[in-house]
Amino acid sequence: MLTRYHHKKVEKYWQEKWAEAKIFETKKNISKKKYYVLEMFPYPSGKIHMGHVRNYALGDVVARYKKMCGYNVMHPMGWDAFGLPAENAAIVEKKPPSEWTYQNIKTMRHQLQSMGLSIDWTREIATCHPEYYKHEQSFFIDLLNSGLAYKKKSLVNWDPVDKTVLANEQVINGKGWRSGADIEQKYLSQWFLKTSSYAEELLADLDKLNDWPAKVKLMQSNWIGKSTGAEIKFDILNPDNLSNKSINVFTTRQDTIFGATFCAISLNHPLAKELALMDKNVYKFIKENSKINPEKEKNGFRTAVLVKHPFIENKKLPVFIANFILMEYGSGAIFGCPAHDQRDLDFAKKYKLDILPVILPKNENPKNYKMGLKAYTGDGILFNSNFLNGMEIEGAKKSVLNKLISKNAGKEKIYYRLRDWGLSRQRYWGCPIPVLYREDGEIIPVAKKDLPVKLPSINNFVSSGNPLDQINEWKLTKCPITGMKAIRETDTFDTFFESSWYFLRYCNPRSKEALVKEDVDYWLPVDQYIGGIEHAILHLLYSRFFVKALRDTNHLKFNEPFKGLFTQGMVTHQTYKNINNGWLSPDEVSFDENKKKYKDNKNREALIGKIEKMSKSKKNVVDPTKIIEIYGADTARWFMLSDSPPSRDLEWTDSGVGGSHKFINKIWNLLVEINSIDSSSLSPKENYILNEKTNETIINVTNNIDEFHYNKSIANLHELTNLLQKLIAKKTVSKDCLLNSLKKLALLLQPFVPHLSEEIWKELKGSGLAISNQWPESKNKLSKDYCYIAIQINGKTKEVLKFDKKSTEEDIKSIALEKQKVKKMIMNRKIKKFIFVPEKILNVVLL
RNA sequence: GGGAGUAUGGCGGAACUGGUAGACGCGCCGGAUUCAAAAUCCGGUCACUUCGGUGGUGUGGGUUCGAUUCCCUCUACUCCUACCA
């Protein structure tokens, strides 16, 4: 046996053993309970980063633990392989995107394998492979035929740097999610999926996702953004030569209708367009204001149009065109009630419009009520409001609605913020959209027998525009039905399309059909999905939609893809800057003991920055391959799991990694020590302490794994290790008892540090592989015949005493009161009463 | 502007439904071992203290025999979202 633990040899050895035994290759097995563990698959960017290490270490704990608990575990891995970086690399490195991608996959696969993950590599998929994307082309045709996919010309978010269209979800603070460029609005003809028709179901089903973080559900719910209100028809009084005869307005505050003093419509509203044709000034206003950010300046144009108030005879409201009204939300038109909406109030002040309060705050007198400077949006009673006077807000809303319906001037209306998913991207490295534009103007799907529509290979990549558009031999084709000339769609799918169903394909990664029903039915839904919170809306919402859409096109028959979701925190690291505000990498910075200051490697002063998410731009990344090389995969994994709760950010520190490495060696030393113990000479007087602690550890580690509190599991394992170390040194426990505890420890370590676990198991002559063993079983806690009781005075603990469990309250009282400390505290004060909690507390309450 | 969350030693973090605050780890201090160092092991480590105690979980208050835990107030930080009618 080795006296020092050699991680390089050991880790390689066990990785080979697991592979030889095909231990992680899973087969469908109806007689066994399945468990599907999945971490979000990586983009093959070049090499793995610490975020991946954390993500996959977390998932591996679940997978190995569930396997040892007897589940038939599927734990696959693949590559989210389409995307823009490959095109950028193609330009810079002058090699095709496919070559770059497959090379990265090879590197990263190797890196992941060196972590010792329990992955079934036979199920590996790459989304850029035609055998993968041909199925999604087929899905798209089904969606097209069922009306869930459609094409329309629409205002889209255009990223001028990436030269492509982005979905709303991909625009963050007006900037592209990948390029960071300011997004422009452009009219383009685009493919869409009808996510909006699933808005209600996507919202309602959130309630059923009990194993999802409340935070993610809330974010999705806000994103879907359901609001219930009324659509009110305002008839146009004049001019009477307009083709628009009325304006439909959406509101959630129909109760404030009597406070309405104007209407406003969007720059893109049909009426605005009609007016622009008639009036140069309107045209000019619209043109100028489409460029002005309404956040900087809210502008309106008072048109000559007047509309009729639905309930007040003879009341006419002016109609404005305003730059802050969104055409994409509601009906693109509002009525303004300045007293109860801050924006309307600002607008009314700017254009000198009437302000009429109609909601009276509680405890105010209607006769002398004066509005404050801000719009009042709180609770109250209706006044100045005709038939609504005296009502509460909710009642007034219903009342208005009924009246509108009876007058045929409006109806109840529900709007969702969620809009349809724009799919088209003007990129090369994506899945071609399987559609042909025939010379007669018809748009037809490619025949399924002609799938996949493969990407053409490309030699010299140009930096602007869509390369597919320029390859005529690919683009020009014929209609398979009529033989007419046709042009291929040159746009490709948004890459979120691929990631919306990859978890299904893992069930039958090599089959000819896209989905083998019985396999998908067996494995899905994913029992535990693990990934970053940054996908809370984008990927997770698209995937949920996609499963529902596939259900409705008869590909599967369940409603939600991910039963359990866990979102882990980021891996952060200290940042450093030089005095010119430039980033310094941690390797460049050292601490100057004399000057008590940080300096860089050229002896200039360095400043400590914030602790931030590891990123290349901030130079605070730590390369996992180096860490695995120096310390081993087990150390890296152990560090990733200790200290910080998985849901929170984890700060990478060198000392923390050192500590983890020490622990691995400490455990190994236990084995070395135990072998030097002579079994015959021992008195087994403390066996029970070790047995009890071992059992308690099993209980705690198990519970903490179940609850994703791996940091606590690790603390439990530390405690047991410390005790074992102490007892081995004291030589007061029998060797059998030590060995028994150590064996259990080896199994408990398996999900966290699997290589070390196997090595210990082998040394202790355990049967088979550690990973193939049953998770240790715990007994109920041994019941002790004594207990500790805290003696408190006025709730403050003064003494902790050991008592026989059979002691009565009276016994305990008399003993406690005789204690010097207690006696002194009481002195000549009077005892008011005793609070007695059996086996826990005796509290003496003094007057 | 709207929504959500967090706040505990020098640091990361424990504390089950209110019941011994600070488990476990890091760091630090002292010691052992060593020619020396690394590594390892042992002990200590919330603060103040007249060594009897006293105070202490962001602030201020409340409920309770008893509050890190429940309620209210304020403060700071983080995240999401944003003219959504």
Side-chain angles (χ1 to χ4, degrees):
Chain A
M1 175 182 178
L2 299 162
T3 50
R4 256 185 90 69
Y5 183 69
H6 293 282
H7 66 81
K8 276 188 196 169
K9 269 190 206 163
V10 169
E11 292 185 352
K12 192 163 174 269
Y13 177 81
W14 289 110
Q15 282 163 20
E16 281 166 7
K17 280 279 167 204
W18 293 325
E20 276 167 32
K22 303 188 174 191
I23 205 85
F24 304 123
E25 290 181 22
T26 324
K27 299 260 149 42
K28 187 177 73 188
N29 181 349
I30 302 289
S31 64
K32 245 175 143 186
K33 261 191 106 174
K34 67 97 185 179
Y35 198 90
Y36 186 176
V37 189
L38 186 67
E39 302 97 9
M40 290 178 185
F41 67 165
Y43 176 78
S45 56
K47 50 187 182 178
I48 62 168
H49 55 69
M50 280 299 171
H52 291 130
V53 176
R54 190 177 196 200
N55 194 194
Y56 301 127
L58 289 169
D60 208 42
V61 173
V62 182
R64 287 178 183 265
Y65 166 69
K66 288 290 176 185
K67 180 172 170 59
M68 291 174 80
C69 289
Y71 287 91
N72 189 27
V73 172
M74 176 158 82
H75 186 204
M77 180 64 72
W79 309 96
D80 189 12
F82 274 137
L84 204 51
E87 292 188 36
N88 296 335
I91 295 162
V92 177
E93 295 179 27
K94 304 214 184 308
K95 57 172 105 157
S98 59
E99 197 184 315
W100 182 83
T101 304
Y102 282 114
Q103 216 163 53
N104 289 346
I105 287 175
K106 202 176 156 194
T107 314
M108 289 173 74
R109 183 194 300 120
H110 189 74
Q111 290 178 316
L112 289 181
Q113 281 168 342
S114 76
M115 279 182 69
L117 301 171
S118 63
I119 292 201
D120 180 355
W121 287 101
T122 64
R123 292 178 186 266
E124 182 182 3
I125 55 176
T127 57
C128 63
H129 199 283
E131 286 304 307
Y132 179 83
Y133 68 68
K134 82 174 191 195
H135 301 297
E136 83 187 39
Q137 290 176 338
S138 167
F139 289 148
F140 178 78
I141 292 167
D142 294 342
L143 294 174
L144 193 62
N145 291 335
S146 66
L148 287 172
Y150 67 97
K151 195 170 197 201
K152 77 168 179 204
K153 199 166 181 184
S154 78
L155 208 54
V156 294
N157 305 303
W158 177 258
D159 185 323
V161 171
D162 284 353
K163 293 198 171 58
T164 187
V165 160
L166 297 181
N168 286 318
E169 291 85 348
Q170 293 160 6
V171 180
I172 294 146
N173 291 330
K175 293 177 193 307
W177 73 296
R178 184 157 252 159
S179 70
D182 284 323
I183 296 306
E184 297 165 7
Q185 298 296 306
K186 227 180 171 177
Y187 263 104
L188 277 178
S189 192
Q190 300 286 303
W191 289 101
F192 286 87
L193 292 184
K194 279 197 180 165
T195 38
S196 65
S197 31
Y198 287 80
E200 186 57 46
E201 196 190 341
L202 287 166
L203 182 68
D205 282 359
L206 285 174
D207 281 345
K208 296 176 197 159
L209 298 172
N210 297 322
D211 299 329
W212 277 43
K215 188 184 175 173
V216 175
K217 289 196 275 186
L218 185 72
M219 281 166 76
Q220 291 210 355
S221 154
N222 288 340
W223 188 262
I224 294 166
K226 179 179 185 175
S227 48
T228 309
E231 190 170 80
I232 305 177
K233 194 171 78 170
F234 285 83
D235 289 327
I236 294 174
L237 292 168
N238 64 290
D240 49 17
N241 56 344
L242 292 170
S243 63
N244 288 281
K245 296 296 174 203
S246 64
I247 302 173
N248 281 325
V249 159
F250 176 66
T251 179
T252 54
R253 289 300 303 272
Q254 64 271 25
D255 53 306
T256 64
I257 184 71
F258 285 95
T261 56
F262 67 97
C263 280
I265 59 174
S266 164
L267 300 172
N268 299 311
H269 195 276
L271 176 61
K273 287 184 176 166
E274 189 177 6
L275 293 169
L277 292 174
M278 294 157 54
D279 184 341
K280 262 188 209 155
N281 290 325
V282 174
Y283 178 80
K284 213 175 127 196
F285 175 84
I286 291 174
K287 196 162 183 201
E288 280 171 2
N289 278 277
S290 2
K291 288 179 209 149
I292 297 174
N293 183 353
E295 241 169 278
K296 286 181 192 133
E297 207 180 344
K298 287 185 175 53
N299 289 325
F301 182 93
R302 188 174 186 140
T303 68
V305 179
L306 292 173
V307 292
K308 183 178 172 298
H309 190 286
F311 298 134
I312 309 173
E313 228 22 73
N314 302 325
K315 177 148 184 172
K316 298 170 183 175
L317 304 178
V319 175
F320 283 76
I321 301 172
N323 65 342
F324 66 94
I325 310 295
L326 301 169
M327 193 60 220
E328 303 83 52
Y329 185 78
S331 56
I334 62 149
F335 75 75
C337 176
H340 304 292
D341 182 297
Q342 191 57 44
R343 263 169 329 181
D344 294 351
L345 184 61
D346 296 341
F347 194 80
K349 282 181 175 165
K350 183 167 177 181
Y351 294 101
K352 306 212 162 41
L353 300 162
D354 293 343
I355 300 164
L356 179 65
V358 289
I359 308 283
L360 184 71
K362 297 228 159 105
N363 307 322
E364 288 278 358
N365 188 333
K367 278 170 195 157
N368 50 24
Y369 173 68
K370 275 254 159 57
M371 243 191 83
L373 288 170
K374 284 190 171 174
Y376 180 72
T377 53
D379 242 357
I381 300 294
L382 271 285
F383 75 131
N384 294 334
S385 290
N386 192 316
F387 65 94
L388 300 174
N389 285 341
M391 287 187 186
E392 307 241 348
I393 291 174
E394 281 313 307
K397 281 185 179 175
K398 281 189 194 118
S399 184
V400 168
L401 210 49
N402 290 336
K403 197 91 163 194
L404 285 169
I405 293 165
S406 69
K407 291 187 71 175
N408 202 22
K411 58 187 175 194
E412 182 170 43
K413 187 93 187 175
I414 294 167
Y415 267 104
Y416 299 90
R417 210 183 74 122
L418 181 71
R419 274 171 270 159
D420 285 345
W421 176 11
L423 272 183
S424 307
R425 295 292 179 275
Q426 293 68 40
R427 307 301 336 164
Y428 164 76
W429 192 234
C431 171
I433 301 177
V435 163
L436 302 177
Y437 298 91
R438 215 159 61 187
E439 60 181 335
D440 64 351
E442 285 292 302
I443 302 175
I444 56 161
V446 172
K448 285 208 175 181
K449 67 172 174 54
D450 295 336
L451 296 182
V453 177
K454 280 194 195 172
L455 276 176
S457 55
I458 211 161
N459 295 325
N460 51 337
F461 222 85
V462 281
S463 57
S464 90
N466 179 0
L468 287 180
D469 208 24
Q470 295 151 28
I471 305 172
N472 281 342
E473 57 271 34
W474 180 81
K475 192 172 132 185
L476 305 177
T477 183
K478 276 181 183 166
C479 169
I481 310 157
T482 60
M484 277 191 258
K485 280 185 190 168
I487 297 175
R488 287 189 192 282
E489 169 68 83
T490 57
D491 285 354
T492 48
F493 285 132
D494 178 4
T495 56
F496 280 105
F497 201 91
E498 282 88 59
S499 55
S500 292
W501 72 284
Y502 78 106
F503 46 86
L504 302 172
R505 184 64 180 168
Y506 281 138
C507 301
N508 42 262
R510 310 282 173 260
S511 67
K512 278 194 175 156
E513 313 100 287
L515 305 174
V516 176
K517 247 183 182 153
E518 57 200 45
D519 290 336
V520 173
D521 283 348
Y522 175 72
W523 288 112
L524 268 288
V526 174
D527 294 278
Q528 187 62 61
Y529 198 33
I530 305 168
I533 188 94
E534 65 271 22
H535 292 110
I537 295 169
L538 292 162
H539 162 60
L540 290 169
L541 194 61
Y542 290 145
S543 299
R544 291 183 60 220
F545 157 75
F546 209 79
V547 159
K548 290 173 193 300
L550 287 181
R551 175 200 61 197
D552 293 345
T553 45
N554 296 317
H555 287 283
L556 42 81
K557 50 183 183 189
F558 53 93
N559 300 313
E560 287 287 340
F562 312 118
K563 183 174 172 290
L565 174 69
F566 186 86
T567 51
Q568 93 267 9
M570 299 178 297
V571 181
T572 63
H573 194 203
Q574 180 72 59
T575 58
Y576 298 95
K577 286 183 171 186
N578 60 28
I579 42 174
N580 303 323
N581 222 20
W583 300 102
L584 292 170
S585 96
D587 310 339
E588 298 175 86
V589 179
S590 57
F591 190 69
D592 187 326
E593 279 296 336
N594 297 324
K595 293 182 188 161
K596 300 282 172 215
K597 274 184 177 170
Y598 287 89
K599 56 172 185 165
D600 69 7
N601 49 12
K602 288 181 186 130
N603 223 352
R604 291 171 304 197
E605 193 184 343
L607 306 168
I608 304 182
K610 275 194 197 167
I611 293 164
E612 297 202 61
K613 180 181 179 176
M614 283 189 181
S615 80
K616 275 183 205 160
S617 63
K618 286 170 187 150
K619 292 197 180 174
N620 63 339
V621 287
V622 175
D623 182 3
T625 29
K626 273 190 197 157
I627 298 297
I628 291 172
E629 173 81 14
I630 300 168
Y631 298 102
D634 280 346
T635 296
R637 295 170 59 127
W638 188 257
F639 175 67
M640 283 292 155
L641 303 168
S642 13
D643 285 358
S644 290
S647 57
R648 285 206 220 167
D649 287 353
L650 169 103
E651 191 195 343
W652 179 271
T653 60
D654 292 342
S655 58
V657 184
S660 298
H661 192 59
K662 250 159 61 176
F663 178 77
I664 306 281
N665 287 315
K666 188 169 166 177
I667 298 231
W668 187 250
N669 286 337
L670 290 184
L671 266 187
V672 178
E673 302 276 318
I674 206 170
N675 279 333
S676 67
I677 287 183
D678 174 4
S679 53
S680 59
S681 66
L682 294 169
S683 66
K685 66 173 185 178
E686 280 178 339
N687 284 5
Y688 76 98
I689 293 184
L690 184 57
N691 287 338
E692 231 175 299
K693 185 72 184 176
T694 308
N695 189 52
E696 196 185 302
T697 306
I698 296 169
I699 296 170
N700 291 338
V701 170
T702 308
N703 290 342
N704 286 326
I705 290 181
D706 284 333
E707 286 163 36
F708 263 101
H709 294 153
Y710 300 160
N711 56 323
K712 292 199 238 169
S713 297
I714 282 185
N716 304 143
L717 291 166
H718 269 291
E719 283 185 46
L720 180 59
T721 308
N722 290 344
L723 182 67
L724 274 166
Q725 192 177 50
K726 216 168 262 178
L727 294 176
I728 289 172
K730 273 170 84 182
K731 306 197 174 187
T732 48
V733 180
S734 77
K735 190 166 185 175
D736 279 354
C737 181
L738 285 169
L739 286 173
N740 174 52
S741 174
L742 210 47
K743 264 184 146 174
K744 296 223 164 104
L745 178 64
L747 295 179
L748 292 176
L749 286 169
Q750 173 59 217
F752 305 94
V753 281
H755 310 89
L756 176 67
S757 155
E758 292 289 1
E759 192 68 11
I760 301 172
W761 190 249
K762 189 181 81 177
E763 284 298 329
L764 298 177
K765 315 247 171 346
S767 66
L769 291 163
I771 181 66
S772 305
N773 275 264
Q774 268 291 312
W775 186 249
E777 268 180 48
S778 59
K779 301 182 206 78
N780 288 333
K781 272 188 189 165
L782 296 173
S783 62
K784 301 166 191 161
D785 51 4
Y786 60 87
C787 61
Y788 290 95
I789 293 183
I791 309 301
Q792 301 182 331
I793 290 180
N794 290 339
K796 292 268 175 196
T797 301
K798 297 299 166 189
E799 195 125 3
V800 179
L801 301 174
K802 189 175 176 180
F803 286 97
D804 194 289
K805 267 196 180 168
K806 287 176 202 138
S807 321
T808 63
E809 185 176 344
E810 290 311 312
D811 298 339
I812 292 164
K813 262 185 208 166
S814 60
I815 291 168
L817 291 176
E818 282 311 305
K819 282 278 158 186
Q820 269 307 325
K821 247 188 191 174
V822 179
K823 251 185 171 171
K824 225 172 172 179
M825 294 296 299
I826 298 173
M827 293 280 277
N828 40 21
R829 296 170 72 184
K830 266 197 174 167
I831 295 172
K832 191 179 163 193
K833 62 171 168 178
F834 292 93
I835 307 276
F836 181 66
V837 183
E839 293 178 34
K840 268 188 180 163
I841 274 180
L842 177 73
N843 186 9
V844 186
V845 184
L846 300 176
L847 267 179

